[in-house]
Amino acid sequence: MDVTVSPTTAALSNNLTAFVGAYNTAFDAIAAQRGQAGGPLAGNPMVPQLAQILSSISTYSSSSGPIASLAALGLDLGKDGHLTFNAAGLQDAWNANSAGVASFFGSAADGGFLHAASSSLNTMVGSDTSVLATVESSVQTEITHTTDQISVQQTRVDQMEKRLIDRMSAADALIASLEQQYSYITGMFQAMDTAAKQFGQ
């Protein structure tokens, strides 16, 4: 009796499940930066660029081979932008044409979905000139600029505070001097009044 052993898709299913989870997390993180209630990167022109990179991964299609898109492998892109994975869809595609599935995925170096996805991810995070590295550099520059501005403004506030304290000290000294003059003049008037009374007697 002959026994045929078919390769299992369990490992590939696990990897695709992890990929879907990571993709959806990244999608949500980017979506949270959009709109009036967006996060700290709201309005940054690189946010839609990151969204476009993710979109290019989830909408990848192959112009050659029997499998044209991720949907044929159980990976569906919902209207909300999230990916879902149906392992049964992958198994069906594998049973029908395992070579086609392998060809669609390809490798990071030689083409196919893995090559396209790797290239997109490298554009996002792969080097000092990647989108996220550029965003990080831009944010750091803004932080440095803001810190410098705060330092300048603090110096001005300190100078204003010193001038105000000096003026208040001078005003206190002047008030004390005026009080002394008032006391002196009052004393003179009292003395004059006493003398006038004495002369009048």
Side-chain angles (χ1 to χ4, degrees), residues 71-191:
L73 301 174
L75 286 159
D76 293 314
L77 182 63
K79 293 181 179 180
D80 61 356
H82 291 104
L83 280 175
T84 57
F85 173 56
N86 180 3
L90 172 65
Q91 188 64 57
D92 290 342
W94 183 268
N95 292 339
N97 191 339
S98 59
V101 173
S103 176
F104 176 86
F105 281 110
S107 70
D110 297 328
F113 171 75
L114 293 178
H115 176 72
S118 294
S119 296
S120 295
L121 291 176
N122 286 336
T123 300
M124 187 182 294
V125 297
S127 68
D128 292 339
T129 59
S130 66
V131 176
L132 288 180
T134 303
V135 171
E136 182 179 9
S137 177
S138 175
V139 170
Q140 186 58 54
T141 298
E142 185 175 349
I143 290 173
T144 300
H145 174 71
T146 301
T147 301
D148 291 342
Q149 289 297 106
I150 290 173
S151 178
V152 170
Q153 294 300 325
Q154 185 61 53
T155 299
R156 292 177 179 174
V157 169
D158 291 343
Q159 291 173 345
M160 290 178 63
E161 181 181 19
K162 184 179 183 303
R163 286 196 295 268
L164 286 173
I165 290 174
D166 291 343
R167 290 180 180 179
M168 290 176 65
S169 297
D172 285 343
L174 178 59
I175 290 171
S177 176
L178 290 174
E179 287 177 342
Q180 290 178 352
Q181 294 296 325
Y182 172 78
S183 297
Y184 176 73
I185 293 172
T186 300
M188 287 182 59
F189 284 154
Q190 288 176 348

